[in-house]
Amino acid sequence: MKCLRCSQTDVLVIDHVLPDGTEVKFFWCHSCEEKWWDRDGEKIDVTEVLEIVRRNRE
Ligand SMILES: [Zn+2]
């Protein structure tokens, strides 16, 4: 996995399953500390992740 910002490959990947069953990945670059989320191979905003969590908590 390459960092979207600095193109280094030193990226930490953590798999997450959201409360509604959506599988997402969290990426964190060790080089430039860029963080991003991915759903089905597409980058999604962290606010979208939090929205899904919030919506399913109620
Ligand atoms: Zn980076």
Side-chain angles (χ1 to χ4, degrees):
M1 188 63 209
K2 257 189 181 181
C3 174
L4 302 181
R5 189 203 260 170
C6 70
S7 294
Q8 294 295 312
T9 52
D10 196 12
V11 178
L12 176 78
V13 185
I14 301 171
D15 288 302
H16 275 291
V17 180
L18 300 182
D20 70 343
T22 302
E23 290 180 26
V24 294
K25 287 181 165 67
F26 172 74
F27 296 90
W28 182 70
C29 175
H30 289 269
S31 298
C32 69
E33 301 196 338
E34 174 82 340
K35 301 177 187 70
W36 70 98
W37 291 82
D38 178 298
R39 180 182 60 197
D40 295 332
E42 285 184 25
K43 191 181 178 189
I44 60 168
D45 204 85
V46 65
T47 55
E48 214 175 316
V49 174
L50 294 175
E51 175 64 20
I52 293 170
V53 172
R54 193 190 60 79
R55 220 187 298 139
N56 286 276
R57 209 190 285 143
E58 290 157 7

mmCIF file of all heavy atoms in Angstrom, residues 26-48:
data_model
loop_
_atom_site.group_PDB
_atom_site.id
_atom_site.type_symbol
_atom_site.label_atom_id
_atom_site.label_comp_id
_atom_site.label_asym_id
_atom_site.label_seq_id
_atom_site.Cartn_x
_atom_site.Cartn_y
_atom_site.Cartn_z
ATOM 1 N N PHE A 26 -8.572 1.380 7.780
ATOM 2 C CA PHE A 26 -7.964 2.621 8.230
ATOM 3 C C PHE A 26 -6.491 2.562 7.867
ATOM 4 O O PHE A 26 -5.810 1.582 8.140
ATOM 5 C CB PHE A 26 -8.136 2.763 9.744
ATOM 6 C CG PHE A 26 -7.370 3.909 10.334
ATOM 7 C CD1 PHE A 26 -7.804 5.211 10.151
ATOM 8 C CD2 PHE A 26 -6.211 3.684 11.068
ATOM 9 C CE1 PHE A 26 -7.097 6.271 10.688
ATOM 10 C CE2 PHE A 26 -5.493 4.740 11.615
ATOM 11 C CZ PHE A 26 -5.941 6.042 11.422
ATOM 12 N N PHE A 27 -6.009 3.621 7.213
ATOM 13 C CA PHE A 27 -4.609 3.686 6.814
ATOM 14 C C PHE A 27 -3.904 4.807 7.562
ATOM 15 O O PHE A 27 -4.470 5.876 7.766
ATOM 16 C CB PHE A 27 -4.493 3.973 5.302
ATOM 17 C CG PHE A 27 -5.051 2.885 4.439
ATOM 18 C CD1 PHE A 27 -6.385 2.905 4.052
ATOM 19 C CD2 PHE A 27 -4.252 1.847 3.997
ATOM 20 C CE1 PHE A 27 -6.920 1.903 3.245
ATOM 21 C CE2 PHE A 27 -4.763 0.840 3.196
ATOM 22 C CZ PHE A 27 -6.097 0.874 2.818
ATOM 23 N N TRP A 28 -2.669 4.525 7.934
ATOM 24 C CA TRP A 28 -1.885 5.555 8.595
ATOM 25 C C TRP A 28 -0.456 5.463 8.086
ATOM 26 O O TRP A 28 0.188 4.418 8.177
ATOM 27 C CB TRP A 28 -1.937 5.380 10.114
ATOM 28 C CG TRP A 28 -1.182 6.442 10.835
ATOM 29 C CD1 TRP A 28 -1.534 7.748 10.930
ATOM 30 C CD2 TRP A 28 0.054 6.306 11.552
ATOM 31 N NE1 TRP A 28 -0.585 8.440 11.666
ATOM 32 C CE2 TRP A 28 0.392 7.573 12.062
ATOM 33 C CE3 TRP A 28 0.905 5.218 11.818
ATOM 34 C CZ2 TRP A 28 1.543 7.791 12.814
ATOM 35 C CZ3 TRP A 28 2.049 5.438 12.563
ATOM 36 C CH2 TRP A 28 2.356 6.716 13.057
ATOM 37 N N CYS A 29 0.019 6.567 7.529
ATOM 38 C CA CYS A 29 1.364 6.612 6.965
ATOM 39 C C CYS A 29 2.374 6.973 8.047
ATOM 40 O O CYS A 29 2.241 7.986 8.721
ATOM 41 C CB CYS A 29 1.412 7.636 5.833
ATOM 42 S SG CYS A 29 3.074 7.852 5.168
ATOM 43 N N HIS A 30 3.401 6.125 8.189
ATOM 44 C CA HIS A 30 4.433 6.385 9.187
ATOM 45 C C HIS A 30 5.323 7.552 8.777
ATOM 46 O O HIS A 30 5.923 8.208 9.628
ATOM 47 C CB HIS A 30 5.317 5.141 9.380
ATOM 48 C CG HIS A 30 4.622 4.019 10.076
ATOM 49 N ND1 HIS A 30 4.641 3.851 11.426
ATOM 50 C CD2 HIS A 30 3.862 3.003 9.593
ATOM 51 C CE1 HIS A 30 3.935 2.781 11.762
ATOM 52 N NE2 HIS A 30 3.438 2.245 10.659
ATOM 53 N N SER A 31 5.433 7.773 7.489
ATOM 54 C CA SER A 31 6.358 8.806 7.003
ATOM 55 C C SER A 31 5.824 10.219 7.201
ATOM 56 O O SER A 31 6.492 11.072 7.772
ATOM 57 C CB SER A 31 6.669 8.584 5.523
ATOM 58 O OG SER A 31 7.305 7.340 5.348
ATOM 59 N N CYS A 32 4.598 10.465 6.730
ATOM 60 C CA CYS A 32 4.081 11.842 6.776
ATOM 61 C C CYS A 32 2.873 11.970 7.704
ATOM 62 O O CYS A 32 2.312 13.041 7.843
ATOM 63 C CB CYS A 32 3.732 12.325 5.366
ATOM 64 S SG CYS A 32 2.306 11.486 4.641
ATOM 65 N N GLU A 33 2.471 10.832 8.327
ATOM 66 C CA GLU A 33 1.358 10.810 9.276
ATOM 67 C C GLU A 33 0.006 11.139 8.654
ATOM 68 O O GLU A 33 -0.938 11.518 9.338
ATOM 69 C CB GLU A 33 1.642 11.705 10.489
ATOM 70 C CG GLU A 33 2.912 11.262 11.215
ATOM 71 C CD GLU A 33 3.040 11.845 12.616
ATOM 72 O OE1 GLU A 33 2.403 12.876 12.876
ATOM 73 O OE2 GLU A 33 3.760 11.257 13.434
ATOM 74 N N GLU A 34 -0.096 10.974 7.338
ATOM 75 C CA GLU A 34 -1.390 11.086 6.666
ATOM 76 C C GLU A 34 -2.276 9.929 7.120
ATOM 77 O O GLU A 34 -1.811 8.809 7.294
ATOM 78 C CB GLU A 34 -1.169 11.025 5.137
ATOM 79 C CG GLU A 34 -2.430 10.993 4.322
ATOM 80 C CD GLU A 34 -3.023 12.374 4.110
ATOM 81 O OE1 GLU A 34 -2.692 13.295 4.876
ATOM 82 O OE2 GLU A 34 -3.819 12.530 3.166
ATOM 83 N N LYS A 35 -3.551 10.220 7.345
ATOM 84 C CA LYS A 35 -4.503 9.179 7.739
ATOM 85 C C LYS A 35 -5.679 9.219 6.774
ATOM 86 O O LYS A 35 -6.101 10.292 6.367
ATOM 87 C CB LYS A 35 -5.044 9.431 9.150
ATOM 88 C CG LYS A 35 -3.988 9.484 10.218
ATOM 89 C CD LYS A 35 -4.644 9.818 11.553
ATOM 90 C CE LYS A 35 -3.609 10.052 12.650
ATOM 91 N NZ LYS A 35 -2.851 11.307 12.437
ATOM 92 N N TRP A 36 -6.173 8.047 6.416
ATOM 93 C CA TRP A 36 -7.374 8.041 5.585
ATOM 94 C C TRP A 36 -8.121 6.727 5.755
ATOM 95 O O TRP A 36 -7.606 5.761 6.280
ATOM 96 C CB TRP A 36 -7.039 8.321 4.118
ATOM 97 C CG TRP A 36 -6.296 7.234 3.389
ATOM 98 C CD1 TRP A 36 -6.829 6.293 2.581
ATOM 99 C CD2 TRP A 36 -4.871 7.024 3.363
ATOM 100 N NE1 TRP A 36 -5.830 5.497 2.072
ATOM 101 C CE2 TRP A 36 -4.636 5.916 2.525
ATOM 102 C CE3 TRP A 36 -3.787 7.657 3.960
ATOM 103 C CZ2 TRP A 36 -3.346 5.429 2.285
ATOM 104 C CZ3 TRP A 36 -2.512 7.173 3.726
ATOM 105 C CH2 TRP A 36 -2.302 6.081 2.895
ATOM 106 N N TRP A 37 -9.391 6.733 5.292
ATOM 107 C CA TRP A 37 -10.269 5.574 5.390
ATOM 108 C C TRP A 37 -10.661 5.110 3.997
ATOM 109 O O TRP A 37 -10.710 5.913 3.069
ATOM 110 C CB TRP A 37 -11.539 5.930 6.168
ATOM 111 C CG TRP A 37 -11.304 6.177 7.622
ATOM 112 C CD1 TRP A 37 -10.856 7.348 8.164
ATOM 113 C CD2 TRP A 37 -11.480 5.273 8.710
ATOM 114 N NE1 TRP A 37 -10.758 7.201 9.536
ATOM 115 C CE2 TRP A 37 -11.143 5.949 9.888
ATOM 116 C CE3 TRP A 37 -11.924 3.938 8.786
ATOM 117 C CZ2 TRP A 37 -11.216 5.343 11.146
ATOM 118 C CZ3 TRP A 37 -11.997 3.346 10.044
ATOM 119 C CH2 TRP A 37 -11.639 4.040 11.203
ATOM 120 N N ASP A 38 -10.940 3.842 3.882
ATOM 121 C CA ASP A 38 -11.235 3.237 2.591
ATOM 122 C C ASP A 38 -12.402 2.259 2.755
ATOM 123 O O ASP A 38 -12.447 1.484 3.692
ATOM 124 C CB ASP A 38 -9.958 2.492 2.157
ATOM 125 C CG ASP A 38 -10.101 1.767 0.845
ATOM 126 O OD1 ASP A 38 -10.940 0.845 0.729
ATOM 127 O OD2 ASP A 38 -9.347 2.106 -0.066
ATOM 128 N N ARG A 39 -13.372 2.343 1.838
ATOM 129 C CA ARG A 39 -14.492 1.399 1.823
ATOM 130 C C ARG A 39 -14.612 0.826 0.430
ATOM 131 O O ARG A 39 -14.788 1.564 -0.529
ATOM 132 C CB ARG A 39 -15.793 2.108 2.216
ATOM 133 C CG ARG A 39 -16.998 1.171 2.215
ATOM 134 C CD ARG A 39 -18.271 1.907 2.568
ATOM 135 N NE ARG A 39 -18.522 2.970 1.609
ATOM 136 C CZ ARG A 39 -19.350 3.987 1.806
ATOM 137 N NH1 ARG A 39 -20.003 4.097 2.930
ATOM 138 N NH2 ARG A 39 -19.528 4.915 0.888
ATOM 139 N N ASP A 40 -14.519 -0.508 0.305
ATOM 140 C CA ASP A 40 -14.588 -1.173 -1.002
ATOM 141 C C ASP A 40 -13.608 -0.570 -2.007
ATOM 142 O O ASP A 40 -13.939 -0.375 -3.185
ATOM 143 C CB ASP A 40 -16.007 -1.101 -1.576
ATOM 144 C CG ASP A 40 -16.988 -1.893 -0.721
ATOM 145 O OD1 ASP A 40 -16.566 -2.866 -0.076
ATOM 146 O OD2 ASP A 40 -18.180 -1.533 -0.706
ATOM 147 N N GLY A 41 -12.423 -0.243 -1.553
ATOM 148 C CA GLY A 41 -11.399 0.270 -2.456
ATOM 149 C C GLY A 41 -11.520 1.744 -2.762
ATOM 150 O O GLY A 41 -10.757 2.285 -3.546
ATOM 151 N N GLU A 42 -12.517 2.390 -2.138
ATOM 152 C CA GLU A 42 -12.677 3.821 -2.376
ATOM 153 C C GLU A 42 -12.436 4.612 -1.107
ATOM 154 O O GLU A 42 -12.921 4.261 -0.037
ATOM 155 C CB GLU A 42 -14.087 4.117 -2.900
ATOM 156 C CG GLU A 42 -14.280 3.716 -4.338
ATOM 157 C CD GLU A 42 -15.666 4.106 -4.845
ATOM 158 O OE1 GLU A 42 -16.257 5.052 -4.302
ATOM 159 O OE2 GLU A 42 -16.145 3.438 -5.765
ATOM 160 N N LYS A 43 -11.722 5.693 -1.265
ATOM 161 C CA LYS A 43 -11.433 6.528 -0.114
ATOM 162 C C LYS A 43 -12.715 7.200 0.376
ATOM 163 O O LYS A 43 -13.479 7.733 -0.415
ATOM 164 C CB LYS A 43 -10.413 7.601 -0.524
ATOM 165 C CG LYS A 43 -9.843 8.354 0.655
ATOM 166 C CD LYS A 43 -8.861 9.428 0.187
ATOM 167 C CE LYS A 43 -8.351 10.206 1.400
ATOM 168 N NZ LYS A 43 -7.571 11.382 1.005
ATOM 169 N N ILE A 44 -12.958 7.122 1.676
ATOM 170 C CA ILE A 44 -14.105 7.842 2.225
ATOM 171 C C ILE A 44 -13.644 8.755 3.347
ATOM 172 O O ILE A 44 -12.618 8.520 3.980
ATOM 173 C CB ILE A 44 -15.224 6.901 2.743
ATOM 174 C CG1 ILE A 44 -14.717 5.990 3.861
ATOM 175 C CG2 ILE A 44 -15.817 6.103 1.616
ATOM 176 C CD1 ILE A 44 -15.852 5.280 4.581
ATOM 177 N N ASP A 45 -14.433 9.770 3.581
ATOM 178 C CA ASP A 45 -14.095 10.739 4.605
ATOM 179 C C ASP A 45 -14.359 10.178 5.994
ATOM 180 O O ASP A 45 -15.298 9.407 6.192
ATOM 181 C CB ASP A 45 -14.934 12.003 4.391
ATOM 182 C CG ASP A 45 -14.258 13.207 4.990
ATOM 183 O OD1 ASP A 45 -13.407 13.800 4.299
ATOM 184 O OD2 ASP A 45 -14.560 13.529 6.157
ATOM 185 N N VAL A 46 -13.532 10.588 6.942
ATOM 186 C CA VAL A 46 -13.710 10.107 8.316
ATOM 187 C C VAL A 46 -15.079 10.516 8.861
ATOM 188 O O VAL A 46 -15.683 9.796 9.656
ATOM 189 C CB VAL A 46 -12.571 10.610 9.233
ATOM 190 C CG1 VAL A 46 -12.587 12.126 9.379
ATOM 191 C CG2 VAL A 46 -12.646 9.936 10.603
ATOM 192 N N THR A 47 -15.610 11.637 8.404
ATOM 193 C CA THR A 47 -16.923 12.078 8.871
ATOM 194 C C THR A 47 -18.006 11.087 8.431
ATOM 195 O O THR A 47 -19.000 10.894 9.116
ATOM 196 C CB THR A 47 -17.277 13.486 8.337
ATOM 197 O OG1 THR A 47 -17.177 13.490 6.920
ATOM 198 C CG2 THR A 47 -16.355 14.531 8.909
ATOM 199 N N GLU A 48 -17.778 10.448 7.276
ATOM 200 C CA GLU A 48 -18.723 9.454 6.783
ATOM 201 C C GLU A 48 -18.683 8.199 7.666
ATOM 202 O O GLU A 48 -19.712 7.597 7.966
ATOM 203 C CB GLU A 48 -18.360 9.091 5.342
ATOM 204 C CG GLU A 48 -19.554 8.779 4.467
ATOM 205 C CD GLU A 48 -19.149 8.542 3.023
ATOM 206 O OE1 GLU A 48 -18.316 9.323 2.500
ATOM 207 O OE2 GLU A 48 -19.631 7.574 2.442
#
